[in-house]
Every structure is written in C-alpha cells, then in structure tokens.
Amino acid sequence: MATVLKQCKIIIWDECTMAHKHSLEALDRTLKDIKNNDKLFGGTLLLLSGDFRQTLPVIPRSTYADEINACLKSSRLWRNVEKVQLTVNMRVQMLQDPSAETFSKQLLDIGDGKVAVHENTGCITVSRIYICIFIATSDS
C-alpha cells in the first residue's frame, strides 16, 4: 500500500464530511513519512468531496459538541483547504423535469436552514406532492 501511495499524485476522498478529523491528520502524517516530504500530504494533491449539510462523523455516546469537534472543519489542516462549490445540479438539469427541480431546491433550502421548524415538534412541513406512502404487506 505504501508503494501505491508513494506514487500517487492525487487522492480523491468522497463523502469526506463523515470522516473524523484524525483520519485526515493521519493521512497527512503518513504521506509525509512515506514520501519523505514535509509538504502538506507529502506533496500529494488531495481532493475532498462532500456536503456538510449531511451526516457528520458518528461518535457513539457523544454530544453534538463532540461531533462538531471531530468534524474536518475543526482540523488544524482545514485552513489549507481551498473551497469550491458546485452550483448546478446536473442530474436535475438533464431530466428537464420541473418537479425534480422544485424538489432539489426544497432539499437545499432544508439543508441551508431556510425552512421553518415548528416550535413544539421540531419538525418541518414538506409539500404533499413529494410524499409517497408505501404500505408493506405480506405479499411485498
């Protein structure tokens, strides 16, 4: 594995937002060591892909603060990350389906905290056109 990593010019890490910051820091130390190079990640380009509106690192019996502290954004390495954002949902654009576009926008609004949360329940209201009820029977 070290031989493969030594030859790598780029590492693509998908769904990185679910990883603990110690994983990123361990990769940095490992690449520096096996490449004998003190540059960040031993000079290897690291492409991180993920959405921080989705699942953060899961830490059993932890508090919300523990999860935030374990997040990649809490790593000392995060200041070196150049952030870029994808702005066009290509899947929705290719479908050319207005309801898919509306649904995609609603998901983004939920993730961005733009949808009102009910005081008493902590729930949100989702448009009825997106609700599909599946009733399991012994035949299904």
Side-chain angles (χ1 to χ4, degrees), residues 36-131:
N36 198 22
N37 185 333
D38 285 335
K39 290 182 182 176
L40 196 63
F41 299 103
T44 302
L45 177 63
L46 184 64
L47 176 66
L48 302 171
S49 168
D51 186 347
F52 283 100
R53 292 174 292 201
Q54 294 179 358
T55 306
L56 294 177
V58 176
I59 304 170
R61 295 174 298 285
S62 67
T63 65
Y64 182 68
D66 293 332
E67 291 178 3
I68 296 298
N69 189 45
C71 178
L72 293 184
K73 287 184 174 184
S74 297
S75 171
R76 61 180 170 71
L77 300 172
W78 189 254
R79 61 189 156 103
N80 298 297
V81 174
E82 180 183 338
K83 296 128 199 116
V84 293
Q85 291 183 318
L86 301 176
T87 56
V88 177
N89 185 329
M90 295 305 292
R91 185 178 303 157
V92 169
Q93 190 175 33
M94 298 297 286
L95 286 174
Q96 297 181 348
D97 177 0
S99 66
E101 189 171 336
T102 303
F103 180 67
S104 174
K105 182 179 179 338
Q106 187 169 28
L107 285 179
L108 288 174
D109 287 346
I110 291 168
D112 290 337
K114 295 178 182 175
V115 175
V117 176
H118 295 284
E119 254 182 65
N120 300 335
T121 63
C123 296
I124 61 171
T125 301
V126 179
S127 175
R128 285 192 156 307
I129 63 172
Y130 301 119
I131 298 173

